[in-house]
Amino acid sequence: MATAAGKSATDQATTADLEADIEQLKADIQKLTEQLARTGQHGYGAARRAAADGVEQLRAQGEAAFESMRGSAEDIEAQLIAKVREKPVTSLAIAAGVGFLFALLSRR
């Protein structure tokens, strides 16, 4: 009978150890879950900030390109005005020729 009592005590000790281990695992899983939630929120915030910075950078580059094109268009306009004032008859003939070509193309 001593063996049965000893075996029963060992089974209870093992069960108690297993229950303690399970409780420890539950606590560890809870901590990991909380840490993953914090990491996810941090990652979302970092991604959002990076996207906002990227949008701002693209906007600035777009504005710079627009200003550059505007400056180029103003330069071309100034050159065209200077050429028309320099040679008005030639400019009028070129404009009439281009108009005639557009008229021919629009008929088709």
Side-chain angles (χ1 to χ4, degrees):
M1 283 247 177
T3 320
K7 199 177 208 186
S8 161
T10 305
D11 286 345
Q12 288 178 353
T14 305
T15 303
D17 289 342
L18 286 175
E19 288 176 357
D21 289 344
I22 289 172
E23 290 301 318
Q24 182 62 39
L25 283 173
K26 285 181 181 179
D28 290 345
I29 289 172
Q30 180 64 30
K31 287 179 185 176
L32 284 172
T33 303
E34 291 170 0
Q35 186 176 7
L36 285 173
R38 285 192 304 269
T39 302
Q41 290 172 354
H42 174 66
Y44 172 75
R48 188 172 180 177
R49 282 190 300 278
D53 291 345
V55 166
E56 182 62 30
Q57 185 179 12
L58 287 175
R59 187 186 62 77
Q61 287 176 351
E63 286 179 356
F66 180 76
E67 289 300 321
S68 174
M69 290 183 72
R70 178 185 282 174
S72 296
E74 289 173 353
D75 290 344
I76 291 170
E77 180 185 10
Q79 289 174 359
L80 184 62
I81 289 171
K83 289 291 181 182
V84 169
R85 286 187 182 156
E86 190 177 302
K87 298 180 182 181
V89 176
T90 305
S91 300
L92 185 58
I94 291 172
V98 169
F100 180 73
L101 286 175
F102 281 135
L104 284 177
L105 292 174
S106 68
R107 286 186 189 183
R108 294 181 183 190

